[in-house]
Amino acid sequence: GDSVTQMEGPVTLSEEAFLTINCTYTATGYPSLFWYVQYPGEGLQLLLKATKADDKGSNKGFEATYRKETTSFHLEKGSVQVSDSAVYFCALSLSTSGTYKYIFGTGTRLKVLA
Amino acid sequence: DAGVIQSPRHEVTEMGQEVTLRCKPISGHDYLFWYRQTMMRGLELLIYFNNNVPIDDSGMPEDRFSAKMPNASFSTLKIQPSEPRDSAVYFCASSFSLNTIYFGEGSWLTVV
């Protein structure tokens, strides 16, 4: 079935380090892909998205490219800050034959140390 | 826009009591979702509505849970009777035409 798989956390990095959080998906159709971020005590908020193959989503220094050939949507940032500490969720949305799915991964906790 | 508004933000109740969580989606959005988040299970979709009609409630854990959407600007999630294992953060979210989902800040429920 349709699914999203994220790398297990927590991920602990020093400030200014390079970040990669892996996300792969399985889908029967052509999904849109999303990264959401959840800061402590808050709801999830959209970080970036891509709606078709080879699209690159970007926001606040984060980037992710929709790779259809590898069914991946890895999140990257060149230099993380302490304020990036949060839980990151990869997600897909898919609508086929009138059936709607919006599937979230399990989340990856990122901790950035000063 | 004001975003998705949930109330109450925090609730502590005794086992057996009825709990009602409320949600006002973003104006113009045609989809509304109720999610539950716990450390053990992560983020779970409980139910979602399209144009006020429940479409998929397969995530509702049991008959103690019910959700309604009487109009486009209001939804409730009710737990009756509540149990300690219902303690979680409950998120309401809305979207327009299955695009980006916008989450509320959550209702933090503790059942003692």
Side-chain angles (χ1 to χ4, degrees):
Chain A
D2 303 315
S3 65
V4 173
T5 302
Q6 287 182 238
M7 61 188 291
E8 289 283 333
V11 174
T12 303
L13 296 173
S14 298
E15 205 165 24
E16 299 183 3
F18 185 86
L19 168 71
T20 300
I21 300 179
N22 291 338
C23 171
T24 57
Y25 67 90
T26 303
T28 51
Y30 301 95
S32 294
L33 301 174
F34 306 81
W35 277 101
Y36 285 81
V37 58
Q38 184 179 29
Y39 298 103
E42 299 183 12
L44 283 72
Q45 51 187 279
L46 178 70
L47 181 60
L48 53 85
K49 68 179 183 181
T51 57
K52 62 182 187 297
D54 299 325
D55 269 3
K56 177 186 283 188
S58 61
N59 185 26
K60 299 181 182 179
F62 291 89
E63 292 183 341
T65 301
Y66 190 142
R67 301 287 188 199
K68 186 179 177 184
E69 63 276 11
T70 53
T71 63
S72 65
F73 193 55
H74 304 322
L75 182 68
E76 297 181 335
K77 187 175 186 183
S79 176
V80 293
Q81 305 300 312
V82 172
S83 57
D84 294 327
S85 298
V87 181
Y88 292 82
F89 292 86
C90 185
L92 68 82
S93 72
L94 188 61
S95 180
T96 54
S97 302
T99 301
Y100 162 79
K101 292 182 182 179
Y102 209 114
I103 300 172
F104 284 87
T106 53
T108 302
R109 183 174 300 276
L110 170 65
K111 186 173 182 179
V112 181
L113 305 176
Chain B
D1 206 321
V4 177
I5 300 173
Q6 291 187 245
S7 64
R9 286 298 315 278
H10 298 273
E11 172 129 359
V12 180
T13 190
E14 292 187 346
M15 183 173 64
Q17 296 298 305
E18 178 178 292
V19 173
T20 299
L21 308 178
R22 298 172 178 80
C23 175
K24 176 179 169 54
I26 293 173
S27 177
H29 282 191
D30 54 352
Y31 283 84
L32 183 138
F33 309 84
W34 282 101
Y35 285 89
R36 178 172 69 176
Q37 187 176 40
T38 62
M39 289 295 292
M40 291 295 294
R41 293 175 174 266
L43 194 65
E44 303 174 275
L45 176 64
L46 301 178
I47 185 172
Y48 78 92
F49 297 81
N50 177 220
N51 292 322
N52 314 339
V53 176
I55 302 300
D56 183 355
D57 65 354
S58 59
M60 296 286 262
E62 49 197 275
D63 292 346
R64 298 185 297 106
F65 286 69
S66 62
K68 294 182 179 179
M69 192 167 185
N71 57 62
S73 58
F74 184 67
S75 177
T76 60
L77 177 67
K78 189 171 294 187
I79 308 172
Q80 166 63 16
S82 58
E83 296 182 4
R85 60 193 168 117
D86 301 330
S87 298
V89 184
Y90 291 82
F91 289 104
C92 179
S94 69
S95 75
F96 176 69
S97 294
L98 309 181
N99 211 315
T100 303
I101 289 185
Y102 294 87
F103 284 77
E105 294 191 326
S107 292
W108 301 68
L109 174 66
T110 302
V111 182
V112 298

